[in-house]
Amino acid sequence: MTLLSTIHNLLSRVTQGSSIGPLIFLTYINDLVELLRKYNMTAKLFADDVKLYVKVVNTTDIDELQSALVALVQWAEDWQL
């Protein structure tokens, strides 16, 4: 039995395989780095990947991480990602 994902309409995207696609993607996502920096998170961008780094040593860091994740979700919803 094959299970398939639910079909969703895409509201925004960067065309894969285009020569300008990576530049458009980085321009599109670059403000995410600035947003997360407000929460003391480091974001590294490479091609179409994003890695997030944060040091958690106490409960205040956990609360700040949760706030950053909420902001990330809101950012993704705003940009229809």
Side-chain angles (χ1 to χ4, degrees):
M1 181 173 146
T2 303
L3 297 176
L4 301 176
S5 301
T6 304
I7 295 175
H8 292 280
N9 291 327
L10 294 177
L11 302 175
S12 62
R13 69 185 186 109
V14 173
T15 304
Q16 292 184 340
S18 70
S19 58
I20 197 167
L23 178 60
I24 293 171
F25 176 76
L26 290 175
T27 303
Y28 193 72
I29 202 168
N30 200 44
D31 63 332
L32 177 62
V33 175
E34 297 302 319
L35 171 69
L36 295 174
R37 201 172 281 154
K38 294 176 186 176
Y39 298 95
N40 296 318
M41 294 186 78
T42 302
K44 300 288 185 179
L45 305 177
F46 180 77
D48 62 351
D49 291 325
V50 178
K51 288 189 179 184
L52 303 177
Y53 301 89
V54 64
K55 186 175 183 178
V56 177
V57 294
N58 56 41
T59 57
T60 302
D61 293 338
I62 293 170
D63 293 338
E64 191 165 41
L65 174 58
Q66 182 60 49
S67 295
L69 294 174
V70 169
L72 172 62
V73 168
Q74 184 61 53
W75 178 88
E77 288 176 0
D78 291 346
W79 288 101
Q80 301 174 358
L81 295 174

